[in-house]
Amino acid sequence: MAVTYTKVAFPKIEEKLYKVLNNEFANIYISSEFVEQQGDEAIRIHLASSDDMLTTNVFERREYSVELFHYYEDKDSIKRTEFVRNRVDRLKALLNDNQSIADYWYNLLIPSIEYDLETDRENFSITQINITMENHDSV
């Protein structure tokens, strides 16, 4: 009997998250590293890890850890700060509205948000939103 597997990480986690966010945000991409984008704002989706919660001969349940990076550039520090906080709050609300999507994930949580990550670029803001979600997939 041939060994088979199902594709979960990219199509059911990263790509689906992209589709959920792309309805409201422009310049979203999936990558393990920063890629320069056109425009002042971009969101990067990075699947950081997955942990086995339970595996049997008929199904696998995994918890996925995803990092969303929100990038924004504006010379005015006060406007930049307000804009970033508002956009991250909107991202958080959109994620909370999609805590479960049948056949993709369930139990989506946002355990932490880190604002104002260090960067060498001036007038540039980076916020990291950490997400966990579970997937139950038949093997």
Side-chain angles (χ1 to χ4, degrees):
M1 177 185 255
V3 175
T4 62
Y5 69 98
T6 56
K7 297 176 184 177
V8 176
F10 186 80
K12 290 191 175 184
I13 303 299
E14 290 177 308
E15 192 173 51
K16 184 61 175 179
L17 191 54
Y18 172 92
K19 289 176 182 177
V20 166
L21 299 178
N22 194 44
N23 288 331
E24 197 162 325
F25 292 87
N27 292 331
I28 299 173
Y29 63 99
I30 300 167
S31 178
S32 58
E33 55 191 48
F34 174 74
V35 176
E36 191 70 43
Q37 300 288 303
Q38 291 183 343
D40 297 335
E41 181 182 39
I43 297 171
R44 177 168 64 95
I45 300 169
H46 173 242
L47 178 59
S49 66
S50 71
D51 295 308
D52 182 34
M53 305 300 285
L54 180 62
T55 301
T56 72
N57 62 337
V58 293
F59 74 87
E60 176 183 53
R61 188 175 67 188
R62 298 191 72 78
E63 180 180 74
Y64 290 86
S65 296
V66 179
E67 300 167 336
L68 288 184
F69 292 90
H70 177 268
Y71 302 102
Y72 184 68
E73 188 167 19
D74 190 334
K75 291 181 181 178
D76 186 325
S77 175
I78 294 171
K79 287 182 183 176
R80 183 176 63 244
T81 299
E82 179 183 2
F83 181 87
V84 167
R85 300 310 186 258
N86 290 339
R87 294 298 272 177
V88 169
D89 284 348
R90 181 61 196 133
L91 270 168
K92 187 174 66 170
L94 189 56
L95 292 167
N96 283 329
D97 287 345
N98 289 282
Q99 288 183 321
S100 294
I101 299 178
D103 299 325
Y104 291 93
W105 66 68
Y106 60 95
N107 199 25
L108 184 146
L109 300 171
I110 306 167
S112 66
I113 299 173
E114 298 177 54
Y115 295 94
D116 305 319
L117 296 178
E118 290 293 321
T119 179
D120 294 338
R121 291 178 62 163
E122 287 190 35
N123 307 317
F124 198 69
S125 173
I126 304 172
T127 303
Q128 180 177 335
I129 304 167
N130 299 304
I131 303 167
T132 61
M133 59 185 68
E134 294 181 43
N135 172 275
H136 181 94
D137 196 57
S138 299
V139 176

